[in-house]
Amino acid sequence: MLELTIEQISMEQSAVNKPAALQLLADLLVADGLVAPGYLEGLQAREQQGSTFLGQGIAIPHGTPQTRDQVFATGVRLMQFPEGVDWGDGQMVYLAIGIAAKSDEHLRLLQLLTRALGENDLGEALRQAKDPESLLQLLQGAPQELALDAQMISLGVMVDDFEELVWRGARLLRKAECVNNGFAAVLQQVEPLPLGEGLWWLHSEQMVNKPGLAFVTPDKPMRHLGQTLTGLFCLASLGESHQALLERLCALLIEGRGHELGQAKSSRAVLQALGGDVPPDWPSERVTLANAHGLHARPAKILAQLAKGFDGDVRVRIVDGTDNPVSAKSLSKLLSLGVQRGQSLEFIAEPTIAAQALPALVAAVLDGLGEEIEALPAHSEPGADKAVAQKTLSAPAAGSQRQAVPASPGIAFGPAHVHVLPVLDYPLQGESQGVEHERLHSALAQVRVDIEQLIARSSAKAIREIFVTHQEMLADPELVDEVAQRLRQGESAAAAWMNVIEAAARQQEQLKDALLAERAADLRDVGRRVLAQICGVEDLVEPDEPYILVMDEVGPSDVARLDPARVAGILTARGGATAHSAIVARALGIPALVGAGDDVLLITSGTQLLIDGQRGRLDVAPDEATLKRALQDRDTREQRLKAAAALRMEPAITQDGHAVEVFANIGDSAGTPAAVEQGAEGIGLLRTELLFMAHSSAPDEATQEAEYRRVLDDLDGRPLVVRTLDVGGDKPLPYWPIDKEENPFLGVRGIRLTLQRPDIMESQLRALLRAADNRPLRIMFPMVGTVEEWRQAREMTERLRLEIPVADLQLGIMIEVPSAALLAPVLAKEVDFFSVGTNDLTQYTMAIDRGHPTLSAQADGLHPAVLQLIDITVRAAHAHGKWVGVCGELAADPLAVPVLVGLGVDELSVSARSIGEVKACVRELNLIEARKLAQTALAAGSAADVRALVEGL
Ligand code: PEP
Ligand code: MG
């Protein structure tokens, strides 16, 4: 990501001409390791194609697509030339921003610069800047404007109470990217201010990215705190940008015109009253941009020049974008849109010039704006570009084997049934508003009936819940409002529906929380169902024999519609293990592999496939021997599971008499009885963040104490290992705002976060100590990476313990960060125990995001590098008489159990349903043999080698 910092700036440079300036920049980029020396040629070639002068004394020299392979790392270097350099045509440059970019990252930089480019006399100010700080400040431009336009206004919304209205206001702000997720929860905590005449006001500065004001009115006046409410303002406040608006609002109230806002029937009326951006009621036309590198400086310049030729206002916006239209005559404004290939633009022109300007602008875009363009795929569905790319792929060869993400356990074998979703063609323009409205609503009604039937037919709760969510998505008033608006503008039902769904899905995808982001698949799933209805397309026809369904990304409703007796297994090209389709597959007991790669879609239907949903393995047309082994494995596994279930309450003791404790991981304090019933000898990991996430504000000490007490009561004397709150980064709490981070997994998580909020940590510790009542309580701290973190956490607990004595307390840390494992010899002297969180330890050791849709299959905890860290931990702990548990997913992997026991792990903590199987695995072992196996595994070169080693036993 390109950002501007003072370290990148070289002040007071001088160059006699442009070639000399380019040479200076290239030398600096090379010296800083960003590019190879050949990049200079790219800079020169690019200037020959067209000057990179941007305006206001700034040029942005960068390479050409041909010299991208000379870039080692994306970055920028800025050089100030106070004497100026003539960049051609007498355009003087005082600041050259040399860009090393592998793709189109410079569009982002242009977006950053555009606010500054709107300033008068920027060039002169850049020339005179005396230090990097003031230069950077100039580049960052004017304070941000308050976002207030038609998209920030929702009138007559159907809500039950004030809370829901606040939520709707916050949602408008979030859609406009003014605020982060969680802003609604922040607003709920703020005291609302009655302005009079039925208007209310709420504002906060927390979780705000850019200032914005939303205005929502309920469908009928409501009462709040004993007063009438007809309209609510929600302000995402940042700096002083809302000052002018406030003054205007006060003036309106003094004039006694406040009720006009509460009774407004159109957003235009509200905007006119408040002085917001009123959308012009002008003719418009749309066109999709096909330029390979988006609307970068050169094509944008041509577009701006063309627009300038018309004597009237021409604006442009990205269809489905959140930004307001900008002037098509302003180069900097055009660049600020950051348009990419495949995005649709809408030109809006003053009526007097529209007839000439709109066709000319559309034709120029279609013509490539001075660049050669490759036509877009016929239908710009998401993934359509991918479909083109797939042409260069080939199907995996017969006899080949690969790893994918295991999504639902079990072994399945059968012919492939490759189901590539048909590209549905539909007109963009509608026949008439009435006809399209009718089409849409009868399709929606039909899909609702279908979903009702699916809910009624599904015996699994998880599946029913998913379809209830689909029903809610279909009924979302905001979606329906947006589609209706598009129908009014003349779009067809299909186009209006898909545009809205796709925009919503894209927005969902951008959420940092992987689980929430994966809900985009549900939106698209529902979207396709409705589209298929509108287009009159039939459902997928299943083959007769049990088969392996191969799809790009299976929508949950695709899976739930399938007959588990006929679908032996599921294989998808994309998707993650937490996708709803995976949840459905698990609920139906259908083995599934996801994220296997795009080329699996090229497998010919009928090819025999073997999938192992536990190991994450796919065999294409396996030979007889492989198949026989796999099917034997399946039978043996089924028998083993039955036998294991029968012995689940017995202890796990190896054949030579070594006992390993098998505990359960739970998140819900109500889950203990079920875990004990499955054979748990204690709780090895209570993930307390789930308790915090279930509340809209931090649960107080008494609430927490009751929850912890419940677990201890249900354990009836068995030990409880509790992990203190592990939130932050990728799993934020709505009421606990955290600054946005580039890499949340490497950011303020776990103990790093709780140590910053000792009040929350203390109240959790107090609640735990009070709940203990001398029962065996073990407290551990997540994400510890340094000795200091551990000591601070321990000191806090010990201090509280003086106040609330507990007889049977142990304090430990989770080993999740490699530094903690490497420091185990030091930490072991001080802790009572370690518990290895292999999910995180693997991600940090392998540098693979644990939720990565395509790489996470490679993040295998049996990698010798991870095993080495566990080995260090166990050795250190045992040398000081301390115990070690493993509570990550690895502990439940039957191939990992022998290795972990061989490494000396004392306790395995797994999900309740795996307890029987893990105990059975331990019982099959001989400790001496397992130790030898572990030593060999430590010397292996890959996780695959370790797995092969264990399988060879
Ligand atoms: C782990 O990282 O292995 C672990 C048990 O913690 P969580 O999965 O909750 O991050
Ligand atoms: Mg963890």
Side-chain angles (χ1 to χ4, degrees):
M1 169 83 77
L2 287 179
E3 300 291 347
L4 297 174
T5 64
I6 50 171
E7 293 74 30
Q8 301 156 344
I9 301 176
S10 306
M11 303 294 290
E12 297 197 31
Q13 303 293 307
S14 90
V16 287
N17 53 22
K18 179 155 128 179
L22 292 179
Q23 178 78 55
L24 274 180
L25 268 171
D27 288 349
L28 184 59
L29 291 169
V30 172
D32 286 354
L34 297 175
V35 299
Y39 196 64
L40 174 61
E41 281 167 30
L43 294 181
Q44 290 161 341
R46 176 60 188 79
E47 295 295 336
Q48 285 196 338
Q49 289 169 4
S51 161
T52 60
F53 181 76
L54 202 60
Q56 298 273 29
I58 302 178
I60 51 159
H62 51 278
T64 58
Q66 291 71 32
T67 50
R68 281 184 181 167
D69 57 354
Q70 305 278 320
V71 176
F72 302 133
T74 293
V76 284
R77 291 295 177 269
L78 290 77
M79 283 190 172
Q80 184 208 31
F81 295 104
E83 290 151 28
V85 179
D86 187 344
W87 221 254
D89 299 333
Q91 290 168 323
M92 291 306 272
V93 164
Y94 301 109
L95 180 72
I97 306 180
I99 304 174
K102 288 190 172 166
S103 62
D104 299 327
E105 292 109 319
H106 60 291
L107 288 179
R108 156 84 183 142
L109 184 64
L110 293 175
Q111 271 186 298
L112 286 177
L113 285 175
T114 45
R115 269 197 293 139
L117 285 170
E119 299 288 288
N120 288 334
D121 298 332
L122 176 66
E124 191 50 31
L126 289 172
R127 190 169 83 81
Q128 290 183 11
K130 288 283 169 268
D131 48 55
E133 287 80 5
S134 44
L135 200 139
L136 194 60
Q137 212 166 17
L138 287 168
L139 291 179
Q140 279 158 353
Q144 286 180 294
E145 273 175 38
L146 181 76
L148 171 60
D149 59 35
Q151 295 173 34
M152 304 290 252
I153 294 172
S154 231
L155 303 177
V157 293
M158 278 172 40
V159 288
D160 288 335
D161 52 23
F162 181 74
E163 211 169 274
E164 212 179 330
L165 194 66
V166 173
W167 186 78
R168 295 295 290 265
R171 183 149 170 213
L172 294 176
L173 290 165
R174 187 166 62 78
K175 279 186 86 176
E177 295 177 0
C178 291
V179 299
N180 293 331
N181 280 341
F183 185 72
V186 170
L187 276 194
Q188 302 284 6
Q189 316 286 324
V190 174
E191 188 144 344
L193 184 72
L195 300 175
E197 297 198 65
L199 299 176
W200 287 70
W201 177 271
L202 272 178
H203 79 271
S204 176
E205 290 177 358
Q206 286 181 29
M207 310 192 109
V208 174
N209 299 326
K210 58 180 186 191
L213 181 76
F215 180 62
V216 277
T217 63
D219 58 341
K220 44 187 180 309
M222 52 202 272
R223 304 285 295 167
H224 185 60
L225 302 175
Q227 298 187 42
T228 306
L229 187 156
T230 54
L232 171 70
F233 290 97
C234 297
L235 173 73
S237 131
L238 200 67
E240 300 299 310
S241 55
H242 57 278
Q243 219 48 45
L245 175 276
L246 257 188
E247 283 164 19
R248 215 179 159 94
L249 188 54
C250 288
L252 269 181
L253 291 166
I254 292 166
E255 288 168 27
R257 292 175 50 206
H259 62 279
E260 286 176 24
L261 297 173
Q263 292 164 6
K265 290 282 170 282
S266 74
S267 48
R268 179 173 267 273
V270 176
L271 291 171
Q272 263 160 354
L274 293 176
D277 263 326
V278 182
D281 215 1
W282 294 345
S284 65
E285 270 193 44
R286 294 179 175 191
V287 59
T288 305
L289 187 93
N291 297 53
H293 306 299
L295 192 62
H296 61 97
R298 242 170 339 130
K301 215 174 203 171
I302 292 178
L303 188 60
Q305 269 160 6
L306 179 63
K308 278 185 202 155
F310 295 99
D311 196 8
D313 200 355
V314 189
R315 300 192 199 169
V316 60
R317 69 177 190 103
I318 300 181
V319 178
D320 302 329
T322 48
D323 289 339
N324 282 324
V326 300
S327 167
K329 297 182 177 186
S330 157
L331 174 62
S332 60
K333 291 274 162 52
L334 284 177
L335 294 173
S336 74
L337 290 174
V339 190
Q340 293 177 357
R341 173 177 156 88
Q343 284 190 307
S344 291
L345 292 174
E346 182 172 46
F347 289 101
I348 309 157
E350 236 177 85
T352 47
I353 56 159
Q356 292 81 42
L358 294 177
L361 291 163
V362 167
V365 172
L366 290 175
D367 222 29
L369 298 165
E371 291 190 323
E372 291 256 327
I373 50 170
E374 195 180 312
L376 288 162
H379 190 273
S380 59
E381 275 234 319
D385 268 341
K386 233 178 178 147
V388 174
Q390 276 163 16
K391 289 196 184 121
T392 60
L393 298 174
S394 51
S400 63
Q401 188 182 72
R402 73 170 55 180
Q403 278 301 119
V405 182
S408 174
I411 291 172
F413 177 68
H417 172 49
V418 185
H419 182 64
V420 180
L421 294 174
V423 173
L424 297 174
D425 225 352
Y426 49 82
L428 297 179
Q429 288 299 319
E431 283 178 38
S432 74
Q433 196 187 323
V435 170
E436 299 301 326
H437 182 271
E438 171 54 31
R439 257 187 204 141
L440 175 72
H441 283 273
S442 67
L444 284 173
Q446 185 53 51
V447 173
R448 263 186 223 118
V449 171
D450 280 2
I451 297 181
E452 272 313 325
Q453 284 169 355
L454 285 170
I455 295 175
R457 228 173 59 192
S458 310
S459 50
K461 184 166 165 245
I463 298 181
R464 283 198 305 276
E465 278 170 1
I466 290 169
F467 287 120
V468 169
T469 314
H470 284 197
Q471 290 284 46
E472 278 165 17
M473 285 175 175
L474 280 181
D476 181 340
E478 231 170 273
L479 273 187
V480 177
D481 286 354
E482 282 172 33
V483 178
Q485 203 169 338
R486 283 172 174 272
L487 293 184
R488 281 197 290 279
Q489 288 164 358
E491 284 188 19
S492 68
W497 172 254
M498 286 314 280
N499 278 328
V500 171
I501 287 286
E502 190 44 41
R506 264 193 241 137
Q507 217 170 19
Q508 187 81 21
E509 252 165 6
Q510 282 161 8
L511 300 180
K512 284 275 178 197
D513 183 315
L515 262 175
L516 290 177
E518 276 173 358
R519 298 294 82 87
D522 289 79
L523 263 170
R524 293 206 171 98
D525 187 21
V526 175
R528 274 200 72 84
R529 293 269 153 224
V530 175
L531 181 66
Q533 273 296 334
I534 298 174
C535 300
V537 174
E538 294 293 313
D539 270 355
L540 147 83
V541 182
E542 292 178 68
D544 290 337
E545 58 182 317
Y547 58 89
I548 308 284
L549 175 69
V550 185
M551 283 183 87
D552 182 11
E553 201 174 11
V554 185
S557 66
D558 292 315
V559 184
R561 267 159 219 271
L562 300 171
D563 178 354
R566 302 248 281 282
V567 186
I570 293 169
L571 172 68
T572 73
R574 290 190 281 162
T578 47
H580 261 156
S581 46
I583 299 173
V584 175
R586 282 197 286 271
L588 290 175
I590 303 177
L593 289 183
V594 297
D598 287 336
D599 56 345
V600 297
L601 297 175
L602 302 176
I603 292 173
T604 316
S605 282
T607 307
Q608 298 293 331
L609 298 181
L610 172 66
I611 65 174
D612 184 336
Q614 168 122 6
R615 297 189 178 95
R617 211 158 53 198
L618 163 71
D619 281 281
V620 180
D623 57 30
E624 287 262 317
T626 312
L627 182 60
K628 203 166 152 205
R629 230 183 6 253
L631 296 180
Q632 265 169 5
D633 261 15
R634 180 175 65 185
D635 296 344
T636 322
R637 188 171 140 77
E638 272 168 18
Q639 282 162 12
R640 275 177 44 145
L641 285 181
K642 263 197 201 139
L647 293 176
R648 66 188 188 282
M649 303 311 264
E650 304 301 317
I653 300 174
T654 62
Q655 290 176 0
D656 45 353
H658 173 72
V660 178
E661 292 183 302
V662 183
F663 282 28
N665 293 348
I666 59 168
D668 177 359
S669 56
T672 316
V676 170
E677 209 289 312
Q678 293 286 327
E681 295 166 290
I683 296 296
L685 168 63
L686 171 62
R687 288 182 161 103
T688 56
E689 57 276 8
L690 298 189
L691 163 67
F692 280 70
M693 284 173 181
H695 289 76
S696 57
S697 57
D700 61 18
E701 207 177 300
T703 310
Q704 289 190 59
E705 185 187 330
E707 299 275 355
Y708 304 142
R709 194 173 278 287
R710 176 176 182 183
V711 179
L712 283 156
D713 289 349
D714 289 339
L715 276 171
D716 199 15
R718 297 176 184 87
L720 166 64
V721 185
V722 183
R723 171 172 79 186
T724 58
L725 187 59
D726 183 18
V727 290
D730 63 314
K731 37 180 181 174
L733 285 174
Y735 46 84
W736 194 348
I738 300 167
D739 286 343
K740 200 166 176 214
E741 294 175 302
E742 206 53 61
N743 288 305
F745 273 129
L746 302 182
V748 187
R749 277 191 75 184
I751 192 78
R752 295 176 188 164
L753 182 62
T754 38
L755 285 176
Q756 288 179 9
R757 285 293 299 271
D759 50 332
I760 293 198
M761 180 136 164
E762 281 200 13
S763 99
Q764 179 171 39
L765 290 170
R766 276 177 205 281
L768 280 167
L769 299 179
R770 285 196 204 288
D773 276 349
N774 298 337
R775 293 173 287 189
L777 175 65
R778 324 278 171 245
I779 299 177
M780 62 183 179
F781 306 101
M783 295 292 303
V784 171
T786 67
V787 178
E788 291 71 28
E789 283 166 346
W790 147 251
R791 287 186 186 151
Q792 279 184 51
R794 179 190 56 186
E795 272 154 31
M796 187 186 286
T797 321
E798 294 294 1
R799 181 164 45 75
L800 296 171
R801 194 181 178 183
L802 294 177
E803 213 182 284
I804 313 163
V806 174
D808 190 357
L809 176 69
Q810 292 185 6
L811 297 182
I813 64 168
M814 288 194 71
I815 299 287
E816 298 182 285
V817 184
S819 61
L822 296 168
L823 281 173
V826 180
L827 289 162
K829 295 181 201 150
E830 303 180 19
V831 300
D832 294 318
F833 68 96
F834 292 127
S835 181
V836 187
T838 46
N839 307 337
D840 277 315
L841 186 62
T842 309
Q843 100 163 326
Y844 294 126
T845 306
M846 304 294 295
I848 295 179
D849 186 329
R850 58 194 268 184
H852 196 286
T854 53
L855 292 177
S856 58
Q858 289 172 43
D860 186 335
L862 273 185
H863 194 283
V866 181
L867 298 180
Q868 292 280 2
L869 293 172
I870 300 177
D871 184 48
I872 294 173
T873 307
V874 177
R875 283 174 192 277
H878 288 181
H880 292 90
K882 314 293 168 64
W883 62 271
V884 180
V886 172
C887 62
E889 296 301 312
L890 192 70
D893 182 339
L895 290 184
V897 172
V899 182
L900 294 175
V901 172
L903 286 174
V905 169
D906 306 284
E907 175 241 49
L908 297 169
S909 190
V910 298
S911 62
R913 66 170 189 282
S914 299
I915 290 173
E917 188 180 14
V918 169
K919 283 186 170 178
C921 288
V922 173
R923 287 188 204 113
E924 281 167 14
L925 298 176
N926 171 301
L927 184 62
I928 314 281
E929 295 297 321
R931 279 189 186 140
K932 278 194 214 141
L933 172 79
Q935 288 314 306
T936 321
L938 286 172
S942 69
D945 287 353
V946 176
R947 289 192 178 272
L949 182 74
V950 184
E951 278 180 309
L953 279 182

